Amino acid sequence: MSEQDYGFDTLAIHAGAQPDPATGARATPIYQTTAYVFDDADHAADLFALRSFGNIYTRIMNPTQAVLESKVAALEGGTAAVATASGHAAQLLVFHALLNPGDEFIATRQLYGGSINQFNHSFKSFGWKVAWADADDVSSIAAAVTDKTKAIFIESIANPGGRVNDIEAISEVAKKAGIPLIVDNTLATPWLCKPFDHGANIITHSLTKFIAGHGNSMGGIIVDGGNFDWGKDGKYPMLSEPNSSYNDIKLYETFGNIAFAITCRVLGLRDLGPAISPTNAFNILTGMETLSLRMERHCENTQKVAEWLEANDKVEYVNYAGLKSSPYYDLAQKYTPRGPGAVFTFGLKGGYEAGVKVVSGVNLLSHLANVGDTRSLIIHPASTTHSQLTPEQQSKAGAGPELVRLSIGIENVDDIIADLDQAIG
Amino acid sequence: MDHTTYSNAYISDILQSVKTIALVGASAKEVRPSYFVMKYLLDKGYKVIPINPGMAGKELLGQMVYASLSDVPEPIDMVDIFRNSDAAGPITDEALTLDPLPKVIWMQLSVHNEEAAAKAEKAGLKVVMDRCPKMEYGKLSGEWARVGGSTGNISSKKQSMHESGKMQSLGLAPK
Ligand SMILES: Cc1ncc(COP(=O)(O)O)c(C=O)c1O
């Protein structure tokens, strides 16, 4: 029986996680080691030359991490995955594999504020240029394509705006331009949305959020869709051209449909170094076993909280794609039929001050900068995550002064609503 | 048969039943995929016979190189083609003149030749196109998971070690 025949929950528990070959341990052990002995000199040479699959050094691979990678690859329907220290590290490795100095990529403005910072500021010092486009206007994405454009980056469900993107329409633009579509699937998780089914070529995640799910471990991952031809036009030299740090092997020619993941590992992790810790990989694996159960409850609670807020007369608007009033309702029905996640925003009639009052007044919800925890979380982006952006960028990113972001947890929903009720006043 | 996807059972049956593999387009260059694959298959216990007219009579990884399939003095179970799609036609034709016939024609990643595939299948051979036996072996044995690959299998049985001691293997050594 092959993996395609198993259901999501079976894969979430079993994929990649066979009993340990050395001890028979049923749960995946934490391989807390930095290095691995070689059998002999020939074995060592084969590993270093990439002729064999095996363990060398934990900056590049680790058996606990490998279980996590196989599992996420299976759940997303990809060919292989590479786990990293954080979601941002995953994004860094993806662009490091694709871009040379002077190259460009297109990203939609409606992104997690941290990604906007990473692309605008840190990436500039690598000579990588981001061109911003509007996720709601696919023609603006097409118009931003130049002969230097190497990729398009979007979020499936955008943080923090409660919007769902038209992945298929955007993937058509990418196909026409002959470049890969990268989808950050953090807020959806593969339980709610499967971007590879809609034309994505690479998926990234911050595992820190719903996939780990318990607010206790940092991690990120890159999933290779195995569905892009890296060799066709020499646009991606790290994949298609001889690599002098590996005796001139060509990674795409050698590794075919896992070449992108291999490149991120043997060049990205090896040289940039953002390895996930084995203990964090273990914590994330434990969280993942209940992914669908948690996501079901997250979505059920979120729908109720959003409906309650929409009926509250101190609330000006609610941006949740599960509400019929949302302009993204139809896209959500198509791309996230089980629910458009648990992160959304609402605006208070009282503006900036009212936002500050709510985050100060909550007792059950936690005021912090994170999403995707079992606990319900609240933040006022204008004074925190989006404070580095100009007011125009804040509004374009969907984070104006009156706006509050929620990440609804899996507590009893009546308690979440009661806490918001007393804090809004 | 349809050659867009192959079941695990189809590939595993091939990799477990063949013993002698003629590798057409073998290379002495250590960075070529054909060299990687030849070394890997030898490590797994297959007999691999390199075919390369320019190197005929020499040894590669300890194996005698022959100029063509017809020169090989022993029965071949599988012909692994490391040449372009057009060249796969005449190579398959030559394979079909061998006595005994090989059991499998395997064309490497990015090599497709529908006409050759149809001829070979008509003669009773199994055909695989656009795949790499190293990668398929790695998937089926679980080794792929070591580099984050999605292996296509799940199991609640303890993983066993390959007899070489180098790799995990689910008993995928040649039968
Ligand atoms: C959608 C999205 N992508 C990426 C990231 C970055 O992930 P990390 O914090 O794990 O680096 C985050 C973090 O909030 C996020 O929400």
Side-chain angles (χ1 to χ4, degrees), chain A residues 86-88 91 112 155 159 184 186 206 208-209 218-219:
Chain A
S86 68
H88 266 14
Q91 292 166 200
Y112 164 55
E155 289 174 0
N159 180 3
D184 177 342
T186 299
S206 168
T208 317
K209 318 300 176 191
M218 297 296 298

Side-chain angles (χ1 to χ4, degrees), chain A residues 269-282:
Chain A
L269 278 180
R270 186 193 68 171
D271 297 346
L272 301 176
I276 189 169
S277 85
T279 301
N280 278 356
F282 174 84

